[in-house]
């Protein structure tokens, strides 16, 4: 028997995401690195798929995201784009593909966009503002990434909570505002006290902040798919909830994640935040 494909939902656009944010509807994001999971995540109703360079650990078995190359990101973005039908696709610019100068960042972003990304994500503070401005002026939507920036794990001395002292909070807020003013439409806030993420969001009301270990004040949430399905081995960070714990199918676990983010029950400040 031939399977009948479910009717795809309406395409998620940047305009639609901004509308959701303006209306106070939480934005959902999960990682995917291949066509099959992209299809599953999309059909479960996740708003945004992140082709994250976390694939270095999840797919390649590396110990960090640092070894991931642009060619590898292009390959996985192409795979995801083939499986996805409706979700907004964010492609990670990997380590070394945008740090040199804004022209290098443009070339790398074009490669990801031509592979099927709708937006590129880059890590780092105010030093990336000029690049963010250069890309957005050229029609490339940008997601910034502050807090724990995994590509800088060696400089940061490990996967540590960021923004814990007054100076750290002030720097985070300054950088977030610089990036928002440079044109970043979205910003991942990773591993920081909930109060800090709340300040960044309040400072920049139009910015779509997407938290991971950053509490519930952000405009949306992101998790690594394999972590929230609890198929990643080893100790998982406190901010990960096992959405597969109740059993059922992968599709059901992802649907539970979507529902929990949308109704505000995930993250739970007592369990998943700092
Ligand atoms: O690469 C990735 O999966 C990410 C998320 C952890 C936000 O950047």
């Amino acid at each position: 028997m031939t399977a009948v494909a479910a009717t795809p939902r309406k395409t998620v656009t940047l305009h639609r995401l901004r509308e959701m944010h303006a209306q106070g509807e939480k934005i959902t994001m999960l990682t995917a690195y291949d066509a099959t999971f992209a299809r599953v995540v999309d059909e479960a109703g996740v708003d945004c798929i992140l082709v994250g360079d976390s694939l270095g650990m999840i797919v390649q078995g590396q110990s960090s995201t640092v070894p991931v190359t642009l060619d590898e990101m292009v390959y996985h973005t192409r795979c995801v784009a083939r499986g996805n039908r409706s979700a907004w696709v964010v492609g990670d610019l990997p380590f070394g593909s945008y740090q040199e100068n804004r022209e290098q960042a443009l070339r790398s972003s074009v490669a990801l966009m031509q592979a099927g990304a709708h937006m590129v994500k880059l890590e780092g503070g105010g030093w990336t503002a000029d690049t963010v401005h250069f890309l957005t002026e050229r029609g490339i939507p940008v997601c910034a990434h502050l807090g724990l920036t995994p590509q800088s794990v060696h400089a940061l001395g490990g996967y540590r909570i960021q923004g814990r002292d007054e100076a750290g909070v002030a720097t985070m807020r300054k950088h977030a505002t610089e990036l928002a003013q440079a044109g970043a439409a979205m910003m991942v806030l990773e591993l920081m006290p909930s109060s800090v993420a709340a300040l960044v969001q309040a400072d920049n009301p139009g910015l779509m902040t997407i938290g991971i270990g950053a509490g519930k004040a952000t405009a949306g949430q992101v998790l690594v798919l394999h972590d929230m399905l609890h198929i990643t081995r080893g100790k998982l960070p406190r901010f990960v909830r096992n959405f597969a714990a109740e059993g059922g199918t992968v599709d059901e676990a992802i649907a539970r994640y979507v529902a929990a983010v949308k109704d505000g029950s995930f993250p739970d400040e007592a369990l998943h935040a700092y």
Side-chain angles (χ1 to χ4, degrees):
M1 199 169 88
T2 312
V4 179
T7 314
R9 65 194 156 130
K10 238 173 137 183
T11 304
V12 180
T13 61
L14 189 54
H15 179 76
R16 175 70 197 120
L17 290 168
R18 284 196 165 117
E19 233 173 43
M20 287 168 53
H21 179 43
Q23 291 164 359
E25 180 181 342
K26 295 284 183 185
I27 296 167
T28 52
M29 183 186 280
L30 280 178
T31 59
Y33 316 113
D34 62 54
T36 299
F37 273 122
R39 183 69 173 260
V40 169
V41 167
D42 174 38
E43 288 184 356
V46 173
D47 300 308
C48 309
I49 295 177
L50 172 63
V51 190
D53 59 359
S54 50
L55 67 84
M57 283 101 106
I58 301 291
V59 177
Q60 300 174 337
Q62 315 260 22
S63 60
S64 80
T65 59
V66 174
V68 177
T69 67
L70 181 61
D71 284 349
E72 289 163 352
M73 290 308 301
V74 166
Y75 169 78
H76 287 280
T77 302
R78 208 171 267 140
C79 295
V80 165
R82 286 192 198 112
N84 176 51
R85 290 192 290 179
S86 312
W88 178 254
V89 176
V90 183
D92 254 351
L93 286 167
F95 181 65
S97 74
Y98 59 95
Q99 284 88 347
E100 231 170 271
N101 52 45
R102 58 195 199 169
E103 285 77 16
Q104 184 208 24
L106 177 61
R107 281 194 300 278
S108 303
S109 302
V110 167
L112 289 185
M113 300 290 282
Q114 290 184 334
H118 303 130
M119 174 181 246
V120 300
K121 178 164 82 61
L122 51 79
E123 297 183 7
W127 67 270
T128 64
D130 178 54
T131 297
V132 169
H133 182 64
F134 191 70
L135 297 179
T136 52
E137 268 196 324
R138 283 156 182 76
I140 300 173
V142 177
C143 177
H145 185 152
L146 287 181
L148 188 276
T149 46
Q151 291 173 13
S152 306
V153 61
H154 300 305
L156 294 173
Y159 296 97
R160 296 162 181 274
I161 301 168
Q162 303 296 302
R164 291 210 103 153
D165 58 11
E166 223 175 283
V169 176
T171 305
M172 189 99 67
R173 292 177 75 179
K174 178 174 175 287
H175 287 175
T177 300
E178 284 168 2
L179 292 165
Q181 286 172 352
M186 200 177 262
M187 183 178 291
V188 167
L189 297 177
E190 181 165 355
L191 207 58
M192 64 182 67
S194 307
S195 57
V196 180
L199 286 170
V200 168
Q201 183 63 81
D203 288 343
N204 305 280
L207 179 67
M208 293 179 278
T209 60
I210 308 293
I212 173 163
K216 60 196 312 155
T218 51
Q221 297 292 328
V222 58
L223 283 177
V224 169
L225 176 67
H226 297 60
D227 291 354
M228 56 79 80
L229 293 175
H230 260 229
I231 52 176
T232 306
R233 293 300 185 245
K235 191 174 181 307
L236 290 173
R238 167 187 170 84
F239 59 76
V240 176
R241 175 176 145 189
N242 179 3
F243 284 91
E246 292 160 56
T249 63
V250 167
D251 307 61
E252 285 164 353
I254 299 172
R256 277 197 286 274
Y257 167 76
V258 172
V261 173
K262 295 281 181 192
D263 71 17
S265 57
F266 178 79
D268 181 331
E269 287 291 339
L271 299 174
H272 311 118
Y274 302 95

